[in-house]
Structure formats: structure tokens, C-alpha cells
């Protein structure tokens, strides 16, 4: 994981919704003067995969997932530095926060580029030093000329240099300083992320990281270039300690393993899973787990059986396309080790609901590619598929190939930076049509009904432990159920489809299924309707402004 910003530990709530701190975890013998660091994580544009439209159905969720990189760096700051952390997906940083700080740390991904640069402008308007790290700047530093310091790469020697430099002098340098990690810190010496600094109850799902890197080289993916092909690992003991901390800090519900590919090192995963099972038994199965993995995990029943026992319930797989020729062209032949539909059914048989990534705009696409995807959705009965236009990311084989072919476009008015072989308007229209038809309420709830019969019964049946059944969780569940019934079942224009799914589940007292499906379905339906009307960007990596308003609070 690349540097994601900086926070500290402990402290009280600040006016901006972040927290102040009197310390990180490391301090040398010559500590030097204390510094005040404001860490700001930029807001995301509403998108398919961050569930904004579901937030109003919850008990106060404001953001999707904690920014893991920001939290990780917290523990390496000198313990006497004061830190405020603001996630602008929850609340914006206030002018008083900028006025307080010696330096402002920012991190983010390509899609947050506009917001990242806006934070830099606010920092400079307040006369403060602006520092940027994270995946976007690590692959495209030329996009951020205004920042005073750029931190390129992962936690390591560049991080130490940055901290030492600010300890000597936190003022703005005369010209931009670029620090690049040459020696990465071993993940076994990573500190626990500072989960205590964030209001975990404001996030849709928790996050944790076990490994970094992926052995595969899919044409469109920048992970090998950024993090390497040989996955680097934490120890199982580190992971269970972080889970303890997440629970202690108030997380309920689920945790997402943000690893680029959880099966990237099969032996390490096999070593981790018994520790997760023991942790779940000790903690009353307090959390469900979700992850990302390549589809060839379906060939590993010994891993899937252990994942079921550890209470993994959802797995994101980059299926990308059902077209075998296209999979070969993008260097994703590992998706064909087992027939795709057979792989999905295998994962379902272990109680894991599949979420799929699908790409439109491939060179191998034909004008009927949308119909092919809709047929695949019908056959696989996967409820949620992130159908997305191809986007070329820097430091990928795709970027290099399209650059050689003079097919990279720099036009923020377009939905993608790729000059497709098919006409652009045809591809975008195909995406809108596919989104609109894939997520009609009737089709979507039918696919969830398939999960009710083919997937959910195969999950581990967790005990009614105090960690799961308590006053807080009961109140939380009843609040969400009431909002779902009102919004979907009474006020919604698709209430007939909702009740056809929900009523049998309510009679069977499957309350958790009604809640989880209701939250996800509402977001998918609302987002897909906007997409079909042209009010959402067709590439979720694109920075193009669109017409869709931010979801209601």
C-alpha cells in the first residue's frame, strides 16, 4: 500500500469531524520540536461501488470504507506530534483546521484528482505546506505540480526522510520536492493502523490489509507496477490484533480485506485462515469478511472450505468478460482454468456471494457486447456486477500499448481516455443500455432470490453470541429495517418487486437478508437509473464531471 497521508493516535474529536492526537508510535532519541499535521482524505464522486444511495437507509453511515493508507502511516509519526484527521467523505476540513496546521497531508486515487488538487489549493491559501502521497501520485506525479512535497511509493525510507525534513522545517520549500521510496518497509514491521482516529460507525464497511501485490499481469491493472508481483505479507498475528482493535474501536458488521488478490500467495492464505477461524470462535463471529480474489480460487476447495469456516460471505472477482478471446488478449487466461459459470457456482456452494467486475470497450468487443453481458448476467445470476468502461491507467501494459498506437485521449469531456475500436457513442450507449436493463428491480431481486436458495444456506451458521445479538445491534437492525420498509416497500416505485422478495424472508424471520439485500438493491437501482439517463460516468476511473447530484444525507 502506498503512503496514504498521515494521522496520529488517540485524542479528542475536532470541530471538522476529525480528531486531534498527542502521538504516533515512533519517536527517536532526538525528537525535535512538535509539529501539527492536518491529514485530509478527499471526497469521492458518487459511484457504483461506494453505495452512497444506501447511506440514508442506515443508522448514520456517511462514507464507504476507512482510508487504510492514511491510518497505516499514523503509527510512524513521532509520538509528540499533534495530528488532526479529516475524511471529507464524512465532513469537510474547516478553515480553522488549515489555520492550525504546520503541514497538510493528502492522499487519494486517480478518480479523486480534482478533489486532491482542491485540498492543495486550500492549504496554500492558508499558507501551509501541502504534502501528497498515495497511489495516484505514485503513478502520475506530473498531475500534481502544485504540491510542495510528493511522496512516491510505499512506506519506507522516503517516509522517514519526509518526517525528518518536516521536523527540521515545516515551512514551504522554494520548489517542489519529490521523495521516492527505494527501500520499502517490511510488512511484518507495519504498525497497527490508527483505527481509533475515525468514527467507525460512520463507514459502510471496515477495512484491513494482509498482503500487497499480485503475481498476475492483467493488461489493464497497475497493481504489479505499483506494488510488485511477489505479494508481501503481514503475519497472521498482526491481522488478528488489527481485528481486535477494529472491534474495540466499535466496528460492527463486516470487514473488507483490501488485498489486491487475497489468493496471490496461496500458502500464506492457508496459514492465515485457521487464525481467522480461531479469532471468530473467540469473538462470537462478531464480523463477516469480504475480499477480492482471482476467479481461479474456485479450483482450491481446501481454501474455500476454510474461508467458509472463517465466515467469508462475499468475494469480488474480476471476471471482466465472458469472451475467452478477450480474456486471452488482456492476459487473464487464469479466468478460464475452470468454466466461469462453474466457478461462480462453486463459490456459491461455499456460501460466498460473488461480486463481478465487467469491462466494456475492449478491442475484442463487437456491437452486441452488451447483449452478451446481459446473457452472462442471466446465466450466472450474480446480483452485483460493476459494469465499467475500459480506462487506461498509467503504468499498465494497456497504457503502454495504447500510447504506442496513439489511442490515448486527454479529454475530460469523455467517459474514458481510450480511443475505442468501436465508435465512442456506441460504446457509451451500450453501457447505459446494459446498466438500465441489468438492474431493473424485477431482474435484480430475482438474482438475489437465487442467492437465497443457492448461496446463503451454504454459509456458516454463526451462534447468537453476545457480540452479535446485543442491544446496540438490535437497535441498529430495527432502524435499518424500518427505513428499508418505508423507502422500498411503501414510498418506492418498485415496491411490488421488493415485497415479492422480502415478504417470504420476513415470514421466515430472515431479517438480516432483507436488510443486506435492501441496502444494496436500493443503491444499485437508483444508480443504474441515473446511468441509463446519462447522469453517471461510464468509467468509474474517469474524472469527468456528470450531472448526478450527490445523494441525500
Amino acid at each position: 500500500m502506498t503512503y496514504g497521508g498521515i494521522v496520529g493516535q488517540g485524542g479528542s474529536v475536532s470541530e471538522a469531524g476529525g480528531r486531534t492526537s498527542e502521538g504516533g508510535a515512533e519517536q527517536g532519541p532526538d525528537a525535535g520540536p512538535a509539529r501539527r499535521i492536518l491529514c485530509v482524505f478527499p471526497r469521492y464522486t458518487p459511484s457504483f461501488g461506494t453505495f452512497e444511495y444506501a447511506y440514508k437507509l442506515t443508522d448514520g453511515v456517511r462514507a464507504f470504507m476507512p482510508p487504510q493508507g492514511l491510518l497505516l502511516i499514523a503509527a510512524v509519526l513521532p509520538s509528540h506530534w499533534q495530528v488532526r484527521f479529516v475524511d471529507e467523505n464524512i465532513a469537510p476540513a474547516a478553515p480553522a483546521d488549515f489555520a492550525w496546521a504546520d503541514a497538510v497531508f493528502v492522499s487519494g486515487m486517480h478518480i479523486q484528482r480534482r478533489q486532491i488538487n482542491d485540498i492543495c489549493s486550500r492549504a496554500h491559501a492558508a499558507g501551509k505546506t501541502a504534502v501528497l502521497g498515495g497511489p495516484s501520485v505514485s503513478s502520475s506525479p506530473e498531475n500534481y505540480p502544485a504540491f510542495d512535497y510528493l511522496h512516491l511509493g510505499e512506506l519506507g525510507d522516503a517516509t522517514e526522510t519526509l518526517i525528518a525534513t518536516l521536523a527540521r522545517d515545516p515551512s514551504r520549500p522554494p520548489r517542489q520536492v519529490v521523495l521516492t521510496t527505494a527501500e520499502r518497509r517490511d510488512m511484518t514491521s507495519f504498525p497497527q493502523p490508527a483505527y481509533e482516529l475515525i468514527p467507525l460507525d460512520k463507514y459502510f464497511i471496515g477495512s484491513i490489509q494482509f498482503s500487497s501485490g499480485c503475481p498476475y499481469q492483467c493488461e489493464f491493472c497497475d497493481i504489479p507496477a505499483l506494488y510488485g508481483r511477489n505479494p508481501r505479507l503481514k503475519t497472521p498475528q498482526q491481522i488478528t490484533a488489527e481485528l481486535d482493535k477494529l472491534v474495540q474501536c466499535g466496528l460492527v458488521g463486516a470487514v473488507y480485506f483490501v488485498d489486491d488478490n487475497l489468493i496471490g500467495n496461496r500458502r500464506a492464505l492457508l496459514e492465515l485462515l485457521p487464525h481467522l477461524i480461531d479469532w471468530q470462535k473467540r469473538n462470537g463471529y462478531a464480523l463477516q469478511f469480504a475480499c477480492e480474489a482471482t476467479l481461479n480460487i474456485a479450483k482450491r476447495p481446501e481454501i474455500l472450505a476454510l474461508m467458509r469456516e472463517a465466515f467469508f460471505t462475499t468475494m469480488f472477482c474480476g471476471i471482466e468478460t465472458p469472451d475467452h478471446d478477450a480474456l486471452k488478449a488482456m492476459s487473464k487466461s487464469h479466468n478460464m482454468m475452470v468454466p466461469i459459470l462453474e466457478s461462480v457456482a462453486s463459490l456459491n456452494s461455499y456460501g460466498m456471494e460473488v461480486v463481478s467486475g465487467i469491462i466494456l470497450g475492449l478491442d475484442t468487443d463487437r456491437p452486441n457486447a452488451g447483449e452478451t453481458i446481459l446473457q452472462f448476467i442471466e446465466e450466472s445470476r450474480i446480483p452485483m456486477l460493476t459494469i465499467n468502461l475500459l480506462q487506461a491507467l498509467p503504468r499498465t501494459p494497456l497504457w503502454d500499448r495504447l500510447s504506442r498506437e496513439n489511442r490515448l485521449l486527454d479529454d475530460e469531456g469523455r467517459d474514458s481516455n481510450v480511443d475505442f475500436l468501436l465508435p465512442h457513442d456506441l460504446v457509451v450507449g451500450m453501457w447505459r443500455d446494459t446498466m438500465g436493463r441489468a438492474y431493473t428491480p424485477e431482474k435484480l431481486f430475482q438474482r438475489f432470490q437465487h442467492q437465497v436458495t443457492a448461496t446463503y444456506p451454504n454459509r456458516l451458521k454463526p451462534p447468537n453470541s453476545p457480540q452479535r445479538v446485543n442491544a446496540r445491534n438490535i437497535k441498529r437492525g430495527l432502524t435499518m429495517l424500518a427505513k428499508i420498509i418505508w423507502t422500498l416497500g411503501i414510498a418506492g416505485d418498485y415496491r411490488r418487486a421488493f415485497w415479492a422478495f422480502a415478504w417470504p424472508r420476513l415470514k421466515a424471520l430472515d431479517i438480516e437478508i432483507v436488510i443486506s439485500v435492501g441496502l444494496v438493491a436500493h443503491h444499485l437501482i437508483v444508480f443504474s437509473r441515473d446511468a441509463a439517463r446519462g447522469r453517471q460516468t461510464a468509467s468509474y476511473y474517469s474524472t469527468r464531471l456528470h450531472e448526478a447530484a450527490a445523494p441525500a444525507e
Side-chain angles (χ1 to χ4, degrees):
M1 173 168 297
T2 54
Y3 149 85
I6 294 209
V7 292
Q9 297 186 13
S12 58
V13 177
S14 77
E15 293 180 356
R19 301 190 181 195
T20 58
S21 169
E22 293 300 329
E26 296 184 359
Q27 182 175 350
D30 299 317
R35 300 301 181 205
R36 296 189 298 270
I37 306 297
L38 173 64
C39 315
V40 186
F41 189 71
R43 184 171 178 83
Y44 285 108
T45 300
S47 69
F48 184 89
T50 48
F51 295 97
E52 282 88 351
Y53 296 104
Y55 297 167
K56 71 175 185 178
L57 304 178
T58 68
D59 59 340
V61 167
R62 299 289 299 276
F64 179 57
M65 188 185 297
Q68 184 78 195
L70 282 144
L71 300 172
L72 170 64
I73 301 296
V76 302
L77 277 184
S79 60
H80 63 299
W81 286 21
Q82 299 178 43
V83 182
R84 292 186 186 180
F85 170 50
V86 179
D87 183 344
E88 296 205 316
N89 294 281
I90 295 176
D97 293 303
F98 288 99
W100 167 86
D102 291 319
V104 178
F105 282 76
V106 190
S107 174
M109 297 187 289
H110 293 308
I111 195 171
Q112 297 166 294
R113 175 179 168 184
R114 185 177 287 107
Q115 293 92 324
I116 290 170
N117 282 318
D118 175 67
I119 295 169
C120 180
S121 297
R122 284 184 275 160
H124 286 169
K128 307 300 180 176
T129 300
V131 183
L132 177 63
S136 183
V137 69
S138 293
S139 63
S140 302
E142 68 278 3
N143 289 336
Y144 303 100
F147 277 85
D148 300 298
Y149 290 93
L150 300 184
H151 181 298
L152 310 185
E154 298 184 71
L155 180 67
D157 54 352
T159 317
E160 297 170 4
T161 300
L162 175 64
I163 293 173
T165 301
L166 293 177
R168 290 193 301 270
D169 182 3
S171 61
R172 296 185 61 187
R175 61 185 62 85
Q176 185 179 78
V177 176
V178 179
L179 303 171
T180 303
T181 295
E183 295 184 14
R184 296 182 298 187
R185 187 167 183 167
D186 195 299
M187 289 187 72
T188 59
S189 67
F190 273 21
Q192 288 189 5
Y195 297 118
E196 73 277 8
L197 286 180
I198 57 176
L200 281 171
D201 59 342
K202 300 297 183 185
Y203 289 91
F204 194 77
I205 190 170
S207 63
I208 196 168
Q209 183 187 28
F210 173 53
S211 67
S212 177
C214 179
Y216 299 107
Q217 286 188 296
C218 303
E219 187 186 38
F220 53 83
C221 183
D222 61 355
I223 295 304
L226 286 174
Y227 309 126
R229 295 188 62 191
N230 185 22
R232 298 156 56 238
L233 305 158
K234 294 178 183 175
T235 66
Q237 292 76 18
Q238 284 176 281
I239 296 301
T240 54
E242 287 186 29
L243 290 171
D244 286 337
K245 188 171 184 178
L246 282 165
V247 172
Q248 291 165 6
C249 292
L251 183 70
V252 295
V255 170
Y256 198 100
F257 280 76
V258 298
D259 301 52
D260 312 307
N261 181 9
L262 192 62
I263 197 179
N265 185 320
R266 293 190 296 272
R267 182 177 298 177
L269 180 57
L270 280 168
E271 182 184 350
L272 170 67
L273 288 169
H275 292 268
L276 294 182
I277 293 169
D278 290 344
W279 185 89
Q280 290 280 34
K281 290 177 179 178
R282 291 195 308 271
N283 290 275
Y285 294 83
L287 301 169
Q288 296 183 35
F289 296 144
C291 69
E292 299 182 17
T294 43
L295 197 60
N296 59 343
I297 196 173
K299 289 185 60 181
R300 301 290 173 175
E302 74 281 10
I303 291 178
L304 294 175
L306 290 171
M307 292 182 76
R308 178 187 180 275
E309 294 304 306
F311 208 22
F312 278 85
T313 59
T314 305
M315 184 180 296
F316 178 91
C317 296
I319 292 174
E320 318 311 357
T321 174
D323 184 340
H324 283 198
D325 291 336
L327 289 172
K328 291 177 183 177
M330 67 174 69
S331 301
K332 200 145 188 174
S333 297
H334 48 275
N335 270 9
M336 298 182 289
M337 290 182 176
V338 179
I340 292 176
L341 294 178
E342 185 180 322
S343 297
V344 172
S346 177
L347 294 175
N348 291 162
S349 73
Y350 287 92
M352 276 171 271
E353 185 175 303
V354 175
V355 177
S356 170
I358 295 289
I359 299 175
L360 271 170
L362 301 168
D363 284 1
T364 50
D365 278 357
R366 300 172 181 85
N368 67 341
E371 295 296 333
T372 302
I373 289 172
L374 288 168
Q375 181 181 348
F376 170 73
I377 295 172
E378 189 76 18
E379 293 173 349
S380 68
R381 289 175 283 191
I382 296 173
M384 179 176 173
L385 305 96
T386 59
I387 307 168
N388 185 31
L389 280 199
L390 182 67
Q391 181 89 357
L393 300 179
R395 301 186 66 180
T396 62
L398 177 64
W399 178 281
D400 295 339
R401 176 171 67 83
L402 295 182
S403 180
R404 291 192 302 269
E405 298 172 5
N406 197 29
R407 292 175 55 202
L408 287 176
L409 304 173
D410 186 13
D411 182 355
E412 292 192 356
R414 290 172 59 97
D415 289 88
S416 169
N417 64 350
V418 175
D419 183 8
F420 304 119
L421 294 185
L422 292 173
H424 175 265
D425 290 347
L426 173 64
V427 176
V428 173
M430 186 162 50
W431 177 80
R432 292 174 181 172
D433 177 68
T434 303
M435 288 291 292
R437 292 165 61 190
Y439 291 105
T440 63
E442 293 74 19
K443 292 286 188 182
L444 180 58
F445 281 114
Q446 285 171 12
R447 299 201 297 274
F448 274 119
Q449 181 57 43
H450 174 73
Q451 304 304 308
V452 169
T453 58
T455 302
Y456 304 156
N458 301 321
R459 288 178 175 171
L460 179 82
K461 305 300 186 293
N464 291 326
S465 63
Q467 292 91 339
R468 288 174 48 80
V469 182
N470 53 55
R472 178 192 177 191
N473 284 350
I474 291 172
K475 178 179 180 295
R476 178 172 172 262
L478 290 176
T479 298
M480 290 191 288
L481 181 62
K483 290 182 178 181
I484 288 168
I485 288 176
W486 170 256
T487 304
L488 281 64
I490 297 175
D493 61 12
Y494 57 90
R495 50 187 172 271
R496 185 182 297 274
F498 167 75
W499 283 117
F501 172 84
W503 184 242
R505 305 276 61 78
L506 290 173
K507 288 195 295 183
L509 300 180
D510 291 334
I511 306 300
E512 286 187 55
I513 290 176
V514 174
I515 293 173
S516 62
V517 169
L519 290 172
V520 173
H522 182 68
H523 171 76
L524 298 180
I525 290 168
V526 175
F527 185 95
S528 64
R529 287 176 173 180
D530 276 349
R533 298 183 186 113
R535 300 182 65 222
Q536 296 285 358
T537 50
S539 173
Y540 309 137
Y541 299 99
S542 172
T543 58
R544 182 177 76 84
L545 291 173
H546 54 72
E547 300 174 11
E553 298 294 339

